Amino acid sequence: MSGKTVTRMELSEAVFREVGLSRNESAQLVESVLEHMSEALVRGEQVKISSFGTFSVREKSARMGRNPKTGEEVPINPRRVLTFRPSHLMKDRVAAGNKR
Amino acid sequence: MIRSELIQRIADENPHLYQRDVERIVNTIFDEVTDAMSRGDRVELRGFGAFSVKKRNARTGRNPRTGESVEVEEKHVPFFKTGKLLRDRLNGKA
């Protein structure tokens, strides 16, 4: 593993190379893709990107938790969490690429 | 929302771009994420979330149908952790 971190910058650089828009516009497009996905998820929609994966919102009900340090019981409010299920293609590519 | 709807929304917002370029833009973004993870890199998108690769150790598994033992090799799997801002937005806090 090379252990590098890819950020928005590398993604917009890739868009810039691929499509030939300005760097600034490429960065804005990366941002608006993330923003449209976030908005759909906040509306409670599933976001299904074929051959990439599926983001879904799950409702968690209230439960009693425990502060592991003090042992004290604390109520955990009901909340919404996001889960990502990678596609088979992604799983296969990640497994193949990281094989020793 | 599916990939084609996402492409359509971006296209509607950017009438100066060809639909096929919008398609390439969206596909490039997802391909870059997958490529990075197949190199073992982490992808950190502040406010949205982070994609990383987790190692699963080799183990002795069992075929649930036959009960037979099978050696499962070490493997690497994709993992996503939701960003703080998106987690808060999902819960109406931002």
Side-chain angles (χ1 to χ4, degrees):
Chain A
M1 258 184 239
S2 61
K4 271 193 288 195
T5 299
V6 168
T7 63
R8 279 174 172 75
M9 215 180 30
E10 286 79 11
L11 299 187
S12 37
E13 191 62 27
V15 170
F16 167 78
R17 281 195 310 267
E18 182 71 24
V19 191
L21 303 169
S22 71
R23 280 202 163 79
N24 191 23
E25 195 172 8
S26 302
Q28 276 171 19
L29 283 158
V30 169
E31 207 49 59
S32 64
V33 165
L34 295 176
E35 187 50 33
H36 278 290
M37 292 171 70
S38 304
E39 281 170 13
L41 293 165
V42 170
R43 288 194 301 268
E45 281 178 45
Q46 206 179 46
V47 175
K48 208 169 187 161
I49 309 296
S50 56
S51 74
F52 184 81
T54 305
F55 296 88
S56 357
V57 180
R58 293 179 49 197
E59 307 274 343
K60 297 276 217 174
S61 44
R63 64 183 171 91
M64 284 311 272
R66 206 178 272 281
N67 180 330
K69 216 178 290 186
T70 63
E72 203 181 347
E73 284 214 325
V74 280
I76 296 179
N77 294 328
R79 65 205 202 286
R80 295 204 297 171
V81 297
L82 178 57
T83 57
F84 174 67
R85 200 166 169 258
S87 70
H88 271 286
L89 184 84
M90 179 191 280
K91 283 199 211 167
D92 290 348
R93 291 196 49 204
V94 169
N98 290 283
K99 208 163 184 158
R100 285 182 302 159
Chain B
M1 180 161 81
I2 60 174
R3 189 195 284 257
S4 56
E5 289 163 349
L6 176 60
I7 291 169
Q8 193 54 54
R9 291 208 181 150
I10 308 283
D12 291 346
E13 269 178 2
N14 296 275
H16 61 294
L17 298 178
Y18 289 112
Q19 173 98 12
R20 64 158 197 276
D21 282 340
V22 176
E23 255 174 63
R24 280 170 64 197
I25 291 160
V26 171
N27 296 344
T28 298
I29 294 171
F30 292 116
D31 289 348
E32 281 296 311
V33 175
T34 307
D35 288 350
M37 280 193 284
S38 39
R39 295 191 301 266
D41 291 349
R42 184 186 149 77
V43 182
E44 197 173 305
L45 304 168
R46 282 286 160 86
F48 183 79
F51 295 89
S52 59
V53 180
K54 287 204 167 178
K55 187 178 130 183
R56 296 277 177 262
N57 287 327
R59 61 186 172 88
T60 306
R62 226 169 247 289
N63 179 330
R65 205 162 350 181
T66 64
E68 212 177 340
S69 291
V70 278
E71 292 308 317
V72 181
E73 274 182 44
E74 166 192 304
K75 68 172 175 190
H76 291 84
V77 297
F79 180 76
F80 176 76
K81 184 169 188 278
T82 313
K84 189 178 182 316
L85 181 66
L86 182 51
R87 205 184 324 136
D88 287 347
R89 282 176 69 182
L90 286 170
N91 292 289
K93 281 186 233 157

